[in-house]
Amino acid sequence: MNLLEKFLLFLDSNMNTPTSYGVFHLIFLIIVTVTTFLLCKYFKDCSKTTFKKIILITWIIIFILEIYKQIIFSFNYDNEIITWDYKWYAFPFQLCSTPLYILPLIFLFNDGKIHQAAIAYTATFTFFGGMAVMVYPGDVFIETIGINIQTMIHHGSQVVIGLFCLVHERKRFNFKYYTKGIIMFIILLTIALSANIIVYNIFQKLSIGDTFNMFYVGPYFPSTLPLLSIIYPLVPYIVFLLLYTIGFILISYIIFFIFTKIYNPFKKV
C-alpha cells in the first residue's frame, strides 16, 4: 500500500451511521442556520464583487469535497486488497449537484440573462434541493465519516447560498427574473434526460450493468426520490416526467411567492 492509498484509507474512516435529527445532523442544522442568518444579515447589501467572492468561495468548498466524494466512492479496501471501481450512480449531475455547474455562471458572468438565470435557479431550485435533504436526510447518511460531512456541507451550502441569493437580489427579484431560473432548470433537466438515454445505450452495448439515472428521471431505472418513487410505477413514464417537471417548478414558484409576497424579513419599510 503506497502513501496515497494509506491517506485514502484514512479518509475512508467509518463511524456509526448518523440518524435523522441525531447529534450529527443537529450540529449541521445549527451551523447552517447560524451561517445563513449571519450571511444574510451582514452581507445582504454587499457589492457585486463581494457577492461574487462569496459565491466563488462556496463553489471551491463544494468542488473540493465533491472530488473527495468521487475518489472515496471509487476506492475499495477489503481484506487488505485495494481496488478501484467507479460508481456511475454517484456521477455528479443530480439536482443537488448542479451548483457545481451553476455557481460558476454567477461569479464568471456579469449581470445579464445567464447571470440572473443562474441566481434565480440557485435561489429556488438549489435552495429547495438543499432544504429537502437537510430537513429529511433519509438514506443520505452512511458509515463513512468524510462522506457524511461532505453531504451535510454540500446540501447545507445549498440552503445558505440559495437564501443568500434571494436576500441579496430581493429588490429586483420579480417574476420575470424568477422565470429565468425555470429556463435554467428545463435546460439542466433536458441534459440529464439526454445523458440518461445516451449512457444507458452505451452501457448496454458494452455490457455494463451500472445504474446511471441523473435527476432520477431516466426511463430505464425507477426513481428513488421520496414520493416520486411511489408515483413512478403507477403512471406511464411520460406522465411521471410531466409530474416531475411541473412539481419542481411549482415548488420553486412557492419559494418565490413566499419570499416576495408574504414574508421578507429584510424588506425596508
Side-chain angles (χ1 to χ4, degrees), residues 233-248:
L234 300 178
V235 298
Y237 173 72
I238 191 64
V239 175
F240 164 79
L241 186 60
L242 186 62
L243 291 174
Y244 180 103
T245 305
I246 294 175
F248 273 101

Side-chain angles (χ1 to χ4, degrees), residues 21-34:
Y21 296 96
V23 175
F24 184 85
H25 183 203
L26 289 175
I27 287 174
F28 278 96
L29 281 177
I30 293 171
I31 292 174
V32 168
T33 301
V34 172

Side-chain angles (χ1 to χ4, degrees), residues 20-21 25 29 130-141 226:
S20 297
Y21 296 96
H25 183 203
L29 281 177
M131 182 63 75
V133 172
M134 294 305 295
V135 172
Y136 179 69
D139 59 357
V140 300
F141 290 132

Side-chain angles (χ1 to χ4, degrees), residues 39-231:
L39 192 62
C40 292
K41 180 175 177 61
Y42 294 105
F43 291 90
K44 63 181 183 291
D45 293 316
C46 67
S47 65
K48 269 294 182 183
T49 300
T50 301
F51 176 72
K52 286 187 175 184
K53 287 181 179 179
I54 293 172
I55 300 296
L56 173 59
I57 292 171
T58 302
W59 178 80
I60 290 174
I61 293 172
I62 65 173
F63 179 75
I64 292 174
L65 289 175
E66 183 63 37
I67 292 176
Y68 157 76
K69 172 186 172 182
Q70 295 299 319
I71 293 174
I72 292 301
F73 272 18
S74 302
F75 175 79
N76 298 291
Y77 180 79
D78 187 24
N79 293 325
E80 299 185 354
I81 298 177
I82 293 174
T83 58
W84 292 87
D85 180 25
Y86 187 73
K87 303 297 188 296
W88 284 100
Y89 66 80
F91 187 83
F93 200 78
Q94 300 294 1
L95 179 70
C96 288
S97 304
T98 52
L100 293 166
Y101 313 97
I102 299 304
L103 294 186
L105 300 181
I106 298 178
F107 62 76
L108 290 177
F109 285 81
N110 292 323
D111 195 19
K113 291 183 179 179
I114 295 178
H115 179 80
Q116 290 184 8
I119 291 177
Y121 176 86
T122 301
T124 52
F125 292 96
T126 293
F127 172 72
F128 168 71
M131 182 63 75
V133 172
M134 294 305 295
V135 172
Y136 179 69
D139 59 357
V140 300
F141 290 132
I142 60 177
E143 292 182 345
T144 306
I145 298 173
I147 294 298
N148 290 329
I149 294 174
Q150 183 271 338
T151 295
M152 286 292 96
I153 292 178
H154 184 94
H155 292 96
S157 68
Q158 291 181 238
V159 176
V160 175
I161 213 66
L163 189 54
F164 177 59
C165 283
L166 276 171
V167 171
H168 188 270
E169 298 296 295
R170 67 194 183 280
K171 296 178 181 178
R172 59 175 186 158
F173 196 65
N174 55 27
F175 184 75
K176 183 178 180 180
Y177 195 146
Y178 154 73
T179 56
K180 294 174 183 176
I182 296 179
I183 295 173
M184 183 68 74
F185 171 70
I186 296 297
I187 292 173
L188 292 169
L189 181 61
T190 302
I191 293 173
L193 182 58
S194 300
N196 288 335
I197 296 172
I198 293 171
V199 172
Y200 176 80
N201 284 282
I202 291 175
F203 280 7
Q204 287 293 101
K205 291 181 180 180
L206 298 177
S207 298
I208 298 175
D210 289 7
T211 299
F212 188 90
N213 194 15
M214 302 303 99
F215 275 49
Y216 300 102
V217 293
Y220 309 110
F221 301 100
S223 178
T224 57
L225 294 176
L227 183 60
L228 291 173
S229 62
I230 300 174
I231 297 175

